[in-house]
Amino acid sequence: MMMMAGRDNERTAIRPVERNQKIRLNDAILIAGFPGPGIVGAMSASYMIEQQKMHQIAYVDSDFITPGVMYIGGRLRHPFRIYANNEGTACILVCDAPVILSGIRPLLNAVVRWAKDNDVREIMVLEGIATLNLPEAARKPLVMTSDGRSDDHGYLSHIKGKAEAAPPAFIAGISGGLLAACLSNGIPCTGLLISSIAGIPDPEGAAILIEKANELANNPFKIDVRELRTEAAELKRQMQELINSVQRQQRQQENQQIGGGPGIYS
């Protein structure tokens, strides 16, 4: 039976969704995706929920979450939700509302304790890294891992040869807070980060993160990302058309300024 979290902080609890209590987690991997640069984390999480036909099994009830509800799929829902597949081998954590800065740590500690109490073996966080330039054609995600124990690197062996180690970096916000909570509670965790432009949806970046998650997870999701790739190709086409249009206008303005435009007697 799913256990409640919030032993150290009565202001946060993870509450089960009664209609889906037949689903039991079994040595599961938990993947978290939050809004951020390119919306890649949230987009990846939503896509995986849809592709795996997951069901909401719980929600996070906390004074630290900005009050409000989401209207999704014809229903009102809590903004901080946990989904799982029917087999209980994978679950997804999503948050669609801001978390008060001072409450990030206690809230996420409660989430990680809930994960440990409910047989989650590792947590994987998908996130974007803000960049000002258009993403490179062959982007690769940064992979940051911890086995949950400072003196043992055995957990790293399962990604050896599959990813390059990331350079030193500081991850802030709710994604960094979740990884920090994993360290504090001794649960293996992985951060997958991809460069992306803030404010512009990046389905290609989301597809790259999902593919890497497929590759690294001990129980691969085997999620087909062709739909995201198609959406990304169309977005790239639209962006290129916009860039070409801006460049044409700039050239026309430059020609007019230097007298290079057509004269009235030409």
Side-chain angles (χ1 to χ4, degrees):
M1 182 176 179
M2 285 190 187
M3 300 179 65
M4 302 276 286
R7 291 169 294 194
D8 298 330
N9 195 325
E10 296 180 356
R11 299 178 65 183
T12 297
I14 288 76
R15 306 191 186 281
V17 174
E18 295 299 333
R19 66 178 178 275
N20 292 325
Q21 284 308 288
K22 291 182 179 180
I23 298 176
R24 294 289 185 271
L25 300 185
N26 177 27
D27 195 33
I29 180 172
L30 186 151
I31 291 186
F34 307 114
I39 325 177
V40 290
M43 194 182 304
S44 299
S46 297
Y47 189 82
M48 296 172 84
I49 290 169
E50 293 176 2
Q51 292 294 309
Q52 294 280 291
K53 295 180 172 57
M54 291 185 169
H55 304 283
Q56 185 183 347
I57 60 170
Y59 64 92
V60 182
D61 187 8
S62 176
D63 292 342
F64 299 121
I65 301 172
T66 301
V69 295
M70 297 296 298
Y71 187 69
I72 303 175
R75 286 183 181 176
L76 289 172
R77 302 177 189 270
H78 289 273
F80 206 144
R81 306 178 302 282
I82 303 173
Y83 293 81
N85 59 3
N86 289 325
E87 297 78 17
T89 57
C91 51
I92 304 287
L93 179 69
V94 296
C95 182
D96 299 314
V99 177
I100 298 171
L101 185 60
S102 61
I104 289 179
R105 177 176 293 178
L107 187 154
L108 294 177
N109 276 328
V111 169
V112 171
R113 286 195 297 268
W114 173 90
K116 292 186 69 174
D117 290 342
N118 286 277
D119 203 21
V120 169
R121 58 179 166 81
E122 63 179 297
I123 293 177
M124 186 175 290
V125 179
L126 312 184
E127 180 62 284
I129 305 174
T131 179
L132 297 177
N133 302 317
L134 289 175
E136 298 178 358
R139 278 184 291 172
K140 292 184 179 180
L142 298 178
V143 180
M144 305 175 179
T145 64
S146 169
D147 61 0
R149 295 170 291 175
S150 61
D151 59 347
D152 185 356
H153 301 287
Y155 174 70
L156 305 184
S157 62
H158 88 276
I159 70 163
K160 189 175 181 180
K162 295 182 180 179
E164 298 179 1
F170 177 76
I171 307 172
I174 192 168
S175 293
L178 181 55
L179 293 172
C182 290
L183 298 180
S184 299
N185 290 277
I187 186 169
C189 61
T190 300
L192 299 183
L193 291 80
I194 191 79
S195 59
S196 188
I197 299 178
I200 300 178
D202 183 7
E204 181 182 59
I208 293 172
L209 290 182
I210 292 173
E211 288 172 339
K212 182 56 69 173
N214 282 340
E215 182 182 352
L216 297 181
N218 290 340
N219 294 323
F221 293 95
K222 298 180 180 178
I223 293 176
D224 188 344
V225 296
R226 283 180 293 183
E227 184 177 333
L228 281 174
R229 292 283 188 184
T230 299
E231 185 178 342
E234 175 61 20
L235 181 62
K236 277 187 173 181
R237 184 190 65 79
Q238 294 176 1
M239 290 183 65
Q240 190 59 54
E241 288 182 353
L242 178 61
I243 291 171
N244 292 340
S245 175
V246 171
Q247 290 176 340
R248 285 195 300 269
Q249 293 180 34
Q250 288 177 337
R251 287 194 296 267
Q252 290 174 357
Q253 291 175 357
E254 290 172 358
N255 289 337
Q256 291 174 359
Q257 289 173 359
I258 63 176
I264 59 175
Y265 296 112
S266 60

